Amino acid sequence: MTKGIEQETRPGQGAATVAALRTPVQPAAGRGAALRVEGAGISFGDFRAVQGIDLDIPAGEFLCLLGPSGCGKSTLLSAMAGFIQVSEGTLTADGAPVSGPDPELGMVFQSSEALFDWMTVQQNVTFGPRMRGRSRAEQNRVADEFLGLVGLRHCADRYPGQLSGGMRQRVQIARVLANEPGVVLMDEPFGALDAQTRQVLQQETARIWSASGCTVVFVTHDIDEAILLADRVAVMTAGPAASIKSLYTVDLPRPRDESDPAALRLRNQLREDIGEEVRKAMRDQGLDDQLDREAKNA
């Protein structure tokens, strides 16, 4: 093995390996919880969304789920949040079965419509602690801490409708963190934002994760976003009955440099993996002719 290179076996690929420069990255110690998914499958009637999912996510890790559209990334994330139940296998957080929604499992949605428009920013952020009967002083402390963490203390008295899309997403992140979850689950939270705002929030997310010590599972379609944020990237196969195709360790120093040769190599490998799955899905739909035309025009 080449000096300075770490190889990681790709699940289901036998001796196939992936190489990345070895520069260990240790997440901040904090209140992260470990997630374990063993042999998990999720079905809706006769439709099998995912099957045979095995993931061991240590406390404090930032894991990105990457894959083609419709592969079940959001479905798997919803199961981790307790919104739906696995049909087979097990899913646990710090050893306890995930049987339903829990403050320990915070969800950040793609749409900022998840915020309560009739509440101020501060009221949104303190909603969870307020429902758990925390004192007014404790609510104020929580609002100050987490609005400060996302850089929005000056917006505490505003309403969501008075904020930009990027600011609303930061409020949503602060509201989730105010419950002090061990795991933060993020379902393409920046997908609807413009490129510049998205880039800023990617950097902010890396900073917030480092400061909070939470475990993060982040769903994305964006390869560069996954490389920028993740400790590891799990690539899913095309659905239905999707599974984990490959698992990559992103051993690059933070903040990440997208022009780093190791990042470029990883990007190419991820593109190849996802491209294989997209082509397979198109062939399964009888679109072979379209693939042939695209290959000729490439």
Side-chain angles (χ1 to χ4, degrees), residues 4-39:
I5 297 291
E6 179 184 280
Q7 294 181 321
E8 180 174 348
T9 300
R10 294 164 60 182
Q13 298 280 324
T17 58
V18 178
L21 287 180
R22 178 64 178 171
T23 308
V25 178
Q26 296 296 330
R31 48 180 174 263
L35 278 177
R36 176 167 289 180
V37 188
E38 296 182 286

Side-chain angles (χ1 to χ4, degrees), residues 17 19 22 35 41 48 61 80 89 91 111 114 119 121 136-137 143 191 213 217 219 244 246 257 266 271 284 296:
T17 58
R22 178 64 178 171
L35 278 177
R48 196 172 184 80
E61 182 174 73
M80 291 177 177
L91 201 169
S111 172
M119 292 184 182
V121 165
R136 181 64 62 84
V217 182
V219 165
I244 302 298
S246 50
D257 178 0
L266 180 56
R271 288 182 63 183
D284 289 344
K296 290 177 181 177

Side-chain angles (χ1 to χ4, degrees), residues 107-177:
M107 186 78 160
V108 178
F109 298 94
Q110 179 174 350
S111 172
S112 58
E113 292 178 4
L115 295 175
F116 302 128
D117 286 339
W118 61 92
M119 292 184 182
T120 65
V121 165
Q122 176 155 333
Q123 289 168 339
N124 266 282
V125 171
T126 59
F127 179 78
R130 189 162 64 251
M131 292 298 99
R132 296 200 304 276
R134 298 287 180 88
S135 68
R136 181 64 62 84
E138 178 65 9
Q139 292 176 40
N140 289 338
R141 183 199 67 77
V142 165
D144 184 71
E145 177 181 354
F146 293 105
L147 285 177
L149 191 62
V150 299
L152 289 175
R153 281 195 183 111
H154 63 291
C155 296
D157 294 330
R158 298 185 192 176
Y159 289 88
Q162 297 173 309
L163 305 179
S164 68
M167 294 168 78
R168 288 196 298 271
Q169 284 301 74
R170 280 193 277 165
V171 174
Q172 193 180 172
I173 292 170
R175 186 174 69 175
V176 167
L177 293 176

Side-chain angles (χ1 to χ4, degrees), residues 18 58 67 78 98 187 292:
V18 178
S78 293
V98 176
D187 191 6
D292 292 339

